[in-house]
Amino acid sequence: MANYQSVFERKETKYLITYDQWGQLMKELRPHMELDKYGKHLITNIYYDTQDWYLIRHSMSKPLYKEKVRVRSYGVPTEKDSVYIEIKKKFDGIVYKRRAKMRLNHAETFLAHQEGLAVVSDNQKIHEFESVLSFYPDLKPAMYLSYKRLAYFDKEDDSIRITFDQEILYRTEDLFLSSGSYGQPILPENHLLMEIKICGAMPVWLARILSRNKIFPAKFSKYANGYQNHLKTQEKTTIEVREREVYSA
């Protein structure tokens, strides 16, 4: 993905849909939308958070403003491959994203406060990344997330995009992009995640298609769902340990 957009400002709306709904939806979308040149591709991410998971806990409290920090790759990178450091902010329903491209090993040392900001060439980005890193000095890798994505754009307005994410996996160990895509699934069975990304108002034709197919917005965060599953796993492990202690006493 040599060409990439480094600044985003748009509204992103998510929908949990079944594969049956997807099949019908695509019949109606094809006259308007076109698959991007990458086809079905793997997206891998490492989300960064504080020791006590402050960023995701704050995000789940539904504040007016929230932010996330992650490293994203398209495919499984080696240490010398290019990845993207991203700061994703959401204020009053609008998503603002800044991203900077660098080698994976540089990104890891940069976010670990071990490498200077010279690896980011844009001054505005330097200030934003510097501000986040200084505000969260204990920021560290917290979760791996990967998924397979199909992305479509409007034939008449390529700022309108629709993505479909399948096989969403997470893990909280082995937090290296170079380790490859594996982990625990997040999506409900027989479902995929659709996301509509628009800079302005939703076109009438798209709103009508969604209405006809009874497809409505859903609150679904990959990171939040992974975090909730992580907590459930921790709780289950704690209970099992206590039970073993009781039985062995």
Side-chain angles (χ1 to χ4, degrees):
M1 297 214 167
N3 298 319
Y4 70 98
Q5 189 175 351
S6 62
V7 179
F8 299 83
E9 180 180 336
R10 64 195 181 193
K11 185 174 182 180
E12 300 180 350
T13 308
K14 296 175 181 178
Y15 305 79
L16 268 180
I17 61 175
T18 66
Y19 278 87
D20 287 342
Q21 286 178 306
W22 186 32
Q24 180 58 40
L25 185 63
M26 288 310 302
K27 292 178 183 177
E28 300 191 47
L29 287 179
R30 283 193 180 98
H32 304 276
M33 308 292 293
E34 184 173 330
L35 182 66
D36 73 12
K37 63 181 180 180
Y38 303 107
K40 191 173 186 178
H41 56 281
L42 176 69
I43 296 178
T44 62
N45 309 270
I46 297 291
Y47 280 77
Y48 279 67
D49 214 321
T50 65
Q51 186 68 33
D52 62 355
W53 299 85
Y54 172 78
L55 290 178
I56 189 57
R57 290 190 296 105
H58 177 67
S59 176
M60 291 170 64
S61 70
K62 305 188 187 306
L64 187 64
Y65 171 81
K66 56 187 177 182
E67 60 190 352
K68 295 175 183 175
V69 179
R70 67 190 179 202
V71 178
R72 166 166 290 188
S73 175
Y74 298 93
V76 178
T78 66
E79 286 297 306
K80 294 184 178 181
D81 285 335
S82 293
V83 298
Y84 304 93
I85 288 182
E86 298 184 346
I87 299 175
K88 187 175 183 179
K89 305 178 181 182
K90 191 172 185 179
F91 177 74
D92 198 20
I94 303 298
V95 173
Y96 304 86
K97 186 161 70 175
R98 296 288 188 272
R99 64 188 337 203
K101 184 178 180 181
M102 62 183 73
R103 280 174 27 176
L104 174 58
N105 56 345
H106 290 166
E108 291 171 339
T109 54
F110 171 65
L111 287 173
H113 304 268
Q114 296 173 1
E115 186 167 311
L117 291 169
V119 292
V120 182
S121 59
D122 184 285
N123 287 333
Q124 178 61 31
K125 290 179 198 168
I126 286 177
H127 295 314
E128 293 196 45
F129 289 132
E130 185 177 40
S131 175
V132 170
L133 290 176
S134 62
F135 196 77
Y136 304 108
D138 61 335
L139 212 61
K140 64 181 184 64
M143 183 178 295
Y144 173 96
L145 272 164
S146 70
Y147 40 92
K148 294 178 181 177
R149 169 170 287 181
L150 285 164
Y152 294 80
F153 60 90
D154 188 334
K155 295 177 180 179
E156 296 184 0
D157 180 359
D158 62 8
S159 69
I160 298 174
R161 294 177 59 82
I162 302 179
T163 60
F164 298 94
D165 293 341
Q166 304 166 270
E167 301 176 45
I168 303 176
L169 305 175
Y170 87 98
R171 63 179 187 257
T172 54
E173 298 178 347
D174 190 18
L175 299 176
F176 300 96
L177 290 176
S178 56
S179 292
S181 174
Y182 73 91
Q184 298 300 313
I186 290 177
L187 283 169
E189 187 176 355
N190 194 40
H191 282 72
L192 65 157
L193 182 65
M194 178 177 78
E195 194 163 356
I196 298 177
K197 309 166 192 284
I198 300 178
C199 295
M202 181 180 292
V204 173
W205 63 263
L206 180 53
R208 287 175 176 167
I209 289 176
L210 297 177
S211 178
R212 278 198 301 271
N213 288 277
K214 296 181 170 55
I215 294 175
F216 307 106
K219 298 293 184 182
F220 190 94
S221 162
K222 300 182 186 78
Y223 188 23
N225 276 269
Y227 174 64
Q228 289 174 319
N229 287 358
H230 169 67
L231 291 180
K232 290 176 184 176
T233 300
Q234 279 194 322
E235 182 179 0
K236 182 180 178 181
T237 301
T238 301
I239 292 173
E240 290 174 348
V241 169
R242 288 175 180 172
E243 288 177 344
R244 286 197 297 267
E245 291 174 347
V246 170
Y247 290 143
S248 62

